[in-house]
Amino acid sequence: MSEIRLLTGNEAVVRGALAAGCRCYFGYPITPQNAIPELMSQLLPEVGGQFVQAESEVASANMLLGAAATGTRAMTSSSSPGISLKQEAISYMAASHLPGVIVNMNRGGPGLGDIGSSQGDYFQATRGGGHGDYRTLVLAPASCQEAYDMMIQAFDLAFKYRNPVLLLGDAIVGQMKEPVKMWQPAPVNPAEAADWRLEGADGRESRVIMSLYLAEGALAGQNRCLMAKYERMKTEVAAETYAVEDAELIVVAYGSIGRIAKSSVRKLREQGHRVGLVRPLTLYPYPDKVLENLAAQGKKFITIEHNTGQMVEDVRLAVRHHTDSAFFGYMPGNMPASDDFMEPILKALE
Amino acid sequence: MSVTHVNEELVFEAPKLMTTKATHYCPGCHHGTAHRLVAEVLEEMNLPKETICIGSIGCSVFIYNYLELDTVEAPHGRAPAVATGVKRSRPDRIVFTYQGDGDLASIGLAEIMHAANRGERITIIFINNTVYGMTGGQMAPTTLIGQKTTTSPGGRTLENEGAPMKMAEIIATLGGCAYSARVALDTVPNIRKAKKAIRHAFEIQQQELGLSFVEILATCPTNWRMDAVTANKRLTEEMIPAFPLGVFVDASSEIKEGAQ
Amino acid sequence: MIMSRVVFLEERCKGCLLCTLACPKKIIEQSSRFNRHGYKVVEVSDENMSKCIGCAFCATVCPDCVITVYRSKKTEKE
């Protein structure tokens, strides 16, 4: 019977990572994710792992790249400005086919912004974030339990596709406290990276992990290979749907906002309004088919986000052959409640 | 009738660790020499089968084409951080970075300072040729006062561009640095000393005493706008006076020595 | 009497001439021949080769692993 413990989302990320076999953590202080490096610094040594507080988020992301190169389950975490600093390394990891987990507890932006919650990093998270044509898998937890579960999933996906995986949380998910069932996944296969990891060329050809392709046509080949991988990743798409069958209007929202919007939908249902919810769990690959099928049934859409409108573009793309999507952006810097979404949803219902 | 027996002894050949491919380096560029010294040392210490090389961005970005070692390419300036990740995840491996002066002393300064300060058990092979080579000869942190480059056309001045950074001395002041030395590749005796320093650096890593750092003065004939022989002369006459050779810290023998 | 020799892998020579500086016997010279890459390669003339002492100074300074050095000892046996 796995233990249930009251954890913040940040703590759940750490517990999930350790359960997933993470043995290297590289990080740097930034609110609202400080509990992650703090707890890692206590727990990692107990399991024979390595904790390093780096001199910057740039350095910690490159330490992750190094640990990944030896086939080690490793991660880094930060929040918005810090995630911006990690983008070059993440692009290198994607281009070098290196697995690794990056956690972003999204805070208010742009610039220094605030330490409150926001979803302003959606574009950065789902469009690669750094230079070049690449993608990371992106998972979006809305609860401390999902933060735990998705960390385990993130490591498995990272090594399955040899690709960086981003867990996009936010200040709400990171700092709220909930009971978390700390289930233990199957142990890590020690040979999961045996055929590519660096360890010293002992009686074999040396292995090179790099992303420089100067020869004619070489980079084109590499990019085709990356795109083929991202096509294969599409099978990992996942979304929660709630009361969509008879719904006239579908609310689309993810993460903490998806959870708050679910309460709004539930209240409106009790008042007899036929509304439903789609909450994407993976932001890349995006659940566009789910939305398209609902659009084909003539349903209307409203996207609700904690930013000035980012995921709404993906919703519009998904439903473009059938309809459009209304949008309500709750301004970052304030804390939304389910009542804040009632009026915009009702308006979209007309 | 006297019979003359001529028994021939091979006294010098290219190390096996170096691939037979011709390098892309310019004529007279000392990267080739530095690569060979690293290869010779690793071979003599029987380390290649447990060594991981961290390549950097610069002319030496193709090091993996020349040394038969498991290698990961680090983004520009980040090799000491990548090396930290590699060594922390595999403390039983020999890990070294091979970096130029733009990579290490400019964009990567924070990374090398903190890797040294943390005492990461890694070895840093730092090639100082006073310019950015790969990108066409721009000023580097180690460009000498008065030296003309494509971004200091009037010659580097103290007032505008500051003075060349002396990395071996700077790194030696950091607590986690167990060995820091500066060597040069302009003459046979200096090349032999350079090889000894490189060997000692890897021994320091084996003894887990902390970070080992070898700054290697080298030429860049193309971007100094000189032929190889003149460039070699400049190394002797201008670079060595500006960058004194010597061992600045050696934890293994507790020498706190200044320049030799 | 020591009689040694050096062998140049001419295809890898880049004509940088650093070896000509290092040779204590000053027997390495730039030839008039070009290799496939268009570099003027170095050489030691046949009569000069006898002056080679096999010190490997040339090979030590060569950045391109062009030079292999053999040292031979002649023993007079009755």
Side-chain angles (χ1 to χ4, degrees):
Chain A
M1 230 300 275
S2 40
E3 192 190 347
I4 294 178
R5 203 182 280 195
L6 202 55
L7 296 175
T8 66
N10 284 329
E11 288 163 347
V13 158
V14 172
R15 297 290 181 177
L18 295 180
C22 172
R23 285 301 171 268
C24 282
Y25 173 86
F26 312 103
Y28 187 82
I30 184 168
T31 304
Q33 57 86 56
N34 294 313
I36 297 177
E38 286 164 354
L39 190 57
M40 274 294 189
S41 68
Q42 294 160 32
L43 299 182
L44 255 180
E46 288 171 11
V47 294
Q50 285 283 329
F51 167 84
V52 179
Q53 180 172 310
E55 57 273 26
S56 73
E57 289 95 344
V58 175
S60 60
N62 281 284
M63 291 175 191
L64 172 63
L65 188 154
T70 65
T72 305
R73 290 195 160 203
M75 69 173 282
T76 184
S77 68
S78 186
S79 173
S80 304
I83 297 294
S84 294
L85 289 175
K86 295 178 192 288
Q87 292 304 328
E88 183 197 30
I90 294 170
S91 173
Y92 268 73
M93 284 181 69
S96 309
H97 301 279
L98 284 174
V101 176
I102 303 102
V103 173
N104 176 9
M105 291 304 182
N106 203 146
R107 61 185 263 173
L112 193 49
D114 77 358
I115 53 172
S117 196
S118 149
Q119 296 187 320
D121 299 354
Y122 179 88
F123 278 153
Q124 178 193 64
T126 56
R127 269 53 179 184
H131 59 286
D133 289 285
Y134 73 96
R135 290 289 188 279
T136 62
L137 281 144
V138 184
L139 308 177
S143 68
C144 297
Q145 184 65 56
E146 276 189 351
Y148 183 91
D149 304 343
M150 285 181 171
M151 279 307 288
I152 293 170
Q153 187 189 5
F155 275 101
D156 290 341
L157 290 173
F159 277 77
K160 176 178 177 184
Y161 291 100
R162 276 178 65 185
N163 206 75
V165 176
L166 179 73
L167 187 95
L168 183 59
D170 57 35
I172 297 172
V173 171
Q175 296 174 118
M176 71 181 173
K177 215 165 207 182
E178 290 184 295
V180 173
K181 188 173 171 198
M182 303 201 299
W183 56 282
Q184 293 304 313
V188 174
N189 167 7
E192 73 180 343
D195 55 357
W196 58 266
R197 66 185 176 214
L198 302 189
E199 53 203 351
D202 189 357
R204 62 161 166 72
E205 292 263 309
S206 59
R207 291 170 177 166
V208 180
I209 292 179
M210 59 83 179
S211 56
L212 180 62
Y213 294 89
L214 289 181
E216 204 183 325
L219 186 59
Q222 145 86 339
N223 275 308
R224 271 192 288 275
C225 163
L226 288 175
M227 292 310 129
K229 180 197 290 193
Y230 304 144
E231 200 52 38
R232 289 198 303 277
M233 278 189 210
K234 289 219 162 103
T235 58
E236 307 299 339
V237 75
E240 177 199 4
T241 57
Y242 170 71
V244 294
E245 298 68 25
D246 72 340
E248 274 177 57
L249 173 75
I250 304 292
V251 175
V252 186
Y254 74 92
S256 53
I257 301 302
R259 186 163 170 188
I260 297 169
K262 188 171 183 180
S263 307
S264 316
V265 166
R266 198 179 288 125
K267 282 185 206 162
L268 288 167
R269 276 232 156 237
E270 282 152 15
Q271 298 165 8
H273 300 287
R274 289 197 289 124
V275 287
L277 171 84
V278 169
R279 177 171 68 92
L281 303 177
T282 60
L283 298 180
Y284 190 90
Y286 193 73
D288 44 10
K289 293 285 177 297
V290 170
L291 298 178
E292 187 174 7
N293 296 342
L294 293 170
Q297 299 163 33
K299 299 184 191 297
K300 289 191 283 185
F301 291 83
I302 178 169
T303 306
I304 297 181
E305 294 177 80
H306 202 178
N307 56 33
T308 60
Q310 296 187 28
M311 184 177 70
V312 61
E313 293 191 8
D314 285 336
V315 175
R316 286 187 174 128
L317 265 176
V319 303
R320 65 189 184 284
H321 299 307
H322 306 284
T323 179
D324 190 357
S325 168
F327 169 70
F328 176 67
Y330 191 89
M331 270 310 160
N334 303 314
M335 191 51 180
S338 50
D339 292 344
D340 296 312
F341 299 157
M342 307 285 267
E343 201 197 314
I345 296 174
L346 288 172
K347 205 152 133 306
L349 254 175
E350 284 143 18
Chain B
M1 200 240 343
S2 71
V3 173
T4 53
H5 289 285
V6 181
N7 43 42
E8 198 168 53
E9 179 202 352
L10 172 67
V11 292
F12 193 102
E13 65 173 332
K16 301 279 177 301
L17 198 54
M18 283 197 82
T19 57
T20 52
K21 227 184 292 189
T23 71
H24 73 293
Y25 298 122
C26 306
C29 165
H30 279 137
H31 269 306
T33 322
H35 282 27
R36 192 192 76 232
L37 295 183
V38 169
E40 285 171 0
V41 164
L42 289 176
E43 228 162 71
E44 285 154 21
M45 296 175 76
N46 195 22
L47 289 177
K49 59 182 183 330
E50 56 190 89
T51 299
I52 298 173
C53 169
I54 319 297
S56 62
I57 306 301
C59 287
S60 65
V61 68
F62 290 121
I63 190 166
Y64 49 76
N65 286 340
Y66 309 130
L67 294 181
E68 271 290 315
L69 293 168
D70 273 8
T71 304
V72 56
E73 179 179 82
H76 193 37
R78 316 310 174 191
V82 172
T84 298
V86 171
K87 186 73 176 189
R88 291 292 182 125
S89 60
R90 287 301 300 268
D92 59 335
R93 300 292 93 173
I94 293 296
V95 178
F96 75 99
T97 75
Y98 185 104
Q99 301 174 256
D101 41 41
D103 189 277
L104 181 132
S106 195
I107 188 171
L109 189 63
E111 277 74 12
I112 185 59
M113 295 289 283
H114 284 276
N117 202 52
R118 289 190 302 268
E120 299 295 339
R121 275 95 171 127
I122 57 179
T123 298
I124 309 290
I125 304 296
F126 167 45
I127 309 297
N128 173 5
N129 60 15
T130 76
V131 283
Y132 281 78
M134 169 72 91
T135 45
Q138 293 79 15
M139 181 175 68
T142 51
T143 295
L144 300 184
I145 298 291
Q147 181 179 343
K148 289 189 171 66
T149 72
T150 57
T151 49
S152 60
R156 180 177 194 167
T157 65
L158 189 61
E159 301 71 30
N160 204 34
E161 290 90 23
M165 291 174 85
K166 294 184 175 159
M167 290 311 302
E169 291 88 338
I170 292 169
I171 297 298
T173 62
L174 297 165
C177 176
Y179 178 68
S180 177
R182 179 180 296 114
V183 296
L185 299 179
D186 56 338
T187 64
V188 173
N190 278 348
I191 290 173
R192 289 192 171 137
K193 277 190 220 130
K195 181 172 176 177
K196 260 198 220 88
I198 292 169
R199 175 162 187 132
H200 194 58
F202 281 108
E203 284 161 356
I204 292 273
Q205 179 173 164
Q206 283 183 313
Q207 295 154 32
E208 301 192 359
L209 295 175
L211 182 130
S212 45
F213 185 90
V214 181
E215 176 174 348
I216 302 177
L217 300 184
T219 60
C220 178
T222 297
N223 288 306
W224 292 1
R225 306 271 183 280
M226 295 172 182
D227 62 74
V229 170
T230 315
N232 203 63
K233 196 155 163 292
R234 176 178 183 256
L235 197 163
T236 311
E237 292 168 358
E238 289 179 42
M239 279 187 70
I240 292 179
F243 298 106
L245 306 184
V247 176
F248 303 101
V249 65
D250 185 351
S252 68
S253 60
E254 291 318 316
I255 311 169
K256 284 281 179 206
E257 207 180 338
Q260 267 162 350
Chain C
M1 197 270 291
I2 295 178
M3 203 268 303
S4 304
R5 65 191 173 95
V6 286
V7 175
F8 296 95
L9 191 56
E10 291 196 343
E11 273 320 297
R12 293 190 58 166
C13 174
K14 294 176 182 167
C16 76
L17 303 181
L18 289 179
C19 53
T20 63
L21 296 179
C23 176
K25 295 296 176 187
K26 293 300 170 213
I27 57 174
I28 306 176
E29 293 150 338
Q30 185 166 50
S31 74
S32 55
R33 290 173 294 106
F34 292 88
N35 67 13
R36 196 162 42 86
H37 306 290
Y39 292 120
K40 227 180 210 175
V41 297
V42 287
E43 66 182 7
V44 175
S45 63
D46 293 345
E47 71 276 7
N48 274 341
M49 194 60 90
S50 59
K51 297 180 194 145
C52 173
I53 57 172
C55 66
F57 279 15
C58 54
T60 303
V61 302
C62 174
D64 289 284
C65 296
V66 172
I67 305 171
T68 305
V69 184
Y70 300 91
R71 188 180 305 149
S72 55
K73 290 196 185 62
K74 241 172 26 190
T75 50
E76 297 294 331
K77 278 242 177 42
E78 285 315 317

